[in-house]
Amino acid sequence: MFNLLKSWLKNSLMAILLVTIFLGISTAAWTPSSSAALPAGNAITDGRSLLRYALPINNEPVRQLQASLEDISNQLRANRRWSAISKDLSKASRSLDQSSKILASVPEERQPQAEAWIKELQSGVNNLQELVKVKDKEKIQAERNKLLNIVNLLEESMVKEFPFEVPQDYSNLPQLKGRATVDIKTNKGNLTVVVDGYSAPVTAGNFVDLVQRGFYNGLEFTRSEESYFLQTGDPPGKDVGFIDPKTGKYRAIPLEILVQGDKAPTYGITLEDAGRYLDMPVLPFSSFGAVVMARPETQVNGASSQFFFFLFEPELTPAGRNLLDGRYAVFGYLTEGKEVLDILKAGDKIESATVVQGIENLVQPEAA
C-alpha cells in the first residue's frame, strides 16, 4: 500500500502539470470571452500581496490604500510611468484621509498603535511623492515596500477573531488559527514561508505541527522539475507520510480550499468535481513559491507530510489559466529566498525548519 501511494505521489503531480501546460496555454484560443474562466485584470504574482488580500477583513479605505501602493510596482515595470505612480499616490493619500473609517475596523485596544501606523503611512506617502519628482526608481521601490509592510501590520490588527469553525470531522488534526512564519535552512541557503491558517487551518496546522516536531529536518527534496515544482516531505523508509506516534496511523489531511467570496473552506472535493469551474481560490497558484500540499491524484484526502513549492513560469503556466487552482491546496507562500529556491534541485536537503513567528496560533487536538 505504501509503495503504491508513494508511486502516486511521485507521478500524479507531473501528469497534472503536463495537462496544465497544454490546456492552460490553449485556453485563450478556444474559450469564448463571455465565459472565460480567467480572473479580471492582471493576476497577482507576489506572494506577500496575496497574503495581504487573503486576510479576513472588510475595510474599503485600507484595501484601496493597499491596492494603490501595490500598483506602483506595476507602473515601475511598465517603463516607469511616473504620471500613473503620481495618481496611485494621490489615491493612497485620499485613503489615509479616511483615518476614522480605517480605525473603525480596529479593536479599541489596538487603535493607538494603528493611529501611529497611519501617521507613518501619511509621512511615507509624502516622501514617495517627492521621490517621484526626481524619478528615483530604486528608492521608490524600497519606500513602497516599507509602506506595504506597515499596511500589512495595520490590516492584521483588524482581524478580531478566527472567521469560521472548522468542521468537527477534523477536530483530531492540528489547526492553525491564524498565520505562522517558518524559516527553512537548506544546503543551498535559507527560505522563509508564511503559512495561512485563515484560509487553510487544517493544512497549515498540519505543516506547522510537523515543523515543530522536527519532521522535515534532514529530509531531501525528492522531486524537481524546472519551472514547475520542487517537492519534499517523504521520510526515509516505506512510509510516505507522517505516522502519528500516538495512534501508529498515517495522518491523512483533507483537501482544503477557500474560494473567494465563501465564508469557510470547501473540504474533500476539488473545485472541478464540485462544478465550480469559474471560482478562484483565495490562495491561488499565481505566485512563484506557492507552498502546496502534495497528494495522490485519486485521493483528495490522502495528503500527509509531502509538500511542494510551485515554481511559477508565466509563459508555460499562465496565472489564472492552469488546472492546479482548486485541485491542490495552497497553504502559504515563499516570502524570502527566491534566489535560493531557484537553484534547489532533487537531492538537496532541508537542514532544519523552524517556526519563528505565530506558534501561539497552533491549536493541538484535544486528547480523546
Side-chain angles (χ1 to χ4, degrees), residues 37-296:
L38 304 180
N42 295 324
I44 300 171
T45 59
D46 179 71
R48 293 186 186 89
S49 177
L50 288 165
L51 286 165
R52 282 189 283 269
Y53 280 117
L55 283 168
I57 63 172
N58 183 22
N59 184 284
E60 186 176 352
V62 82
R63 286 306 197 193
Q64 290 175 341
L65 169 65
Q66 179 190 336
S68 299
L69 293 174
E70 300 273 13
D71 189 59
I72 290 173
S73 185
N74 297 331
Q75 303 304 336
L76 286 173
R77 286 196 299 269
N79 297 320
R80 306 179 185 181
R81 295 161 60 177
W82 304 111
S83 61
I85 294 175
S86 294
K87 289 180 181 178
D88 282 333
L89 291 173
S90 294
K91 290 178 183 177
S93 183
R94 288 195 295 270
S95 297
L96 287 166
D97 287 340
Q98 303 177 65
S99 59
S100 60
K101 291 183 179 180
I102 294 174
L103 291 170
S105 295
V106 180
E108 185 176 354
E109 67 275 12
R110 303 175 190 169
Q111 288 190 4
Q113 177 61 75
E115 289 177 344
W117 284 328
I118 290 172
K119 289 180 180 178
E120 192 172 352
L121 287 165
Q122 289 170 331
S123 175
V125 168
N126 290 335
N127 289 340
L128 273 174
Q129 289 170 332
E130 294 301 315
L131 290 172
V132 169
K133 292 178 181 178
V134 297
K135 300 182 179 180
D136 192 325
K137 181 179 179 179
E138 290 185 5
K139 288 185 178 179
I140 289 171
Q141 190 72 278
E143 182 69 13
R144 171 252 188 201
N145 292 342
K146 175 184 173 182
L147 295 185
L148 278 171
N149 287 338
I150 299 172
V151 169
N152 193 74
L153 294 172
L154 182 58
E155 290 176 340
E156 286 181 339
S157 75
M158 295 179 176
V159 181
K160 299 179 177 66
E161 59 187 1
F162 195 75
F164 55 86
E165 289 293 329
V166 175
Q168 187 64 26
D169 290 347
Y170 310 120
S171 61
N172 62 316
L173 298 170
Q175 298 174 17
L176 189 68
K177 298 296 186 71
R179 287 182 173 170
T181 302
V182 176
D183 282 352
I184 301 173
K185 183 180 179 181
T186 79
N187 61 303
K188 295 285 184 65
N190 298 338
L191 309 171
T192 300
V193 302
V194 173
V195 293
D196 184 18
Y198 292 125
S199 302
V202 176
T203 314
N206 171 68
F207 177 74
V208 170
D209 175 65
L210 294 179
V211 170
Q212 277 293 98
R213 292 172 181 266
F215 179 88
Y216 295 107
N217 297 349
L219 291 191
E220 290 187 352
F221 293 97
T222 52
R223 293 278 291 172
S224 174
E225 299 294 338
E226 187 176 356
S227 298
Y228 302 135
F229 70 96
L230 176 71
Q231 186 164 321
T232 187
D234 183 6
K238 68 177 183 178
D239 298 334
V240 296
F242 174 64
I243 305 301
D244 192 328
K246 290 184 178 180
T247 64
K249 295 181 180 179
Y250 178 91
R251 180 194 281 176
I253 303 302
L255 181 65
E256 179 181 44
I257 299 170
L258 179 62
V259 173
Q260 293 177 11
D262 285 3
K263 293 183 178 180
T266 294
Y267 290 90
I269 188 170
T270 67
L271 295 189
E272 179 184 6
D273 288 342
R276 305 185 68 174
Y277 303 96
L278 305 182
D279 294 341
M280 288 295 293
V282 170
L283 303 179
F285 272 83
S286 59
S287 175
F288 179 91
V291 187
V292 192
M293 282 302 294
R295 64 170 179 83

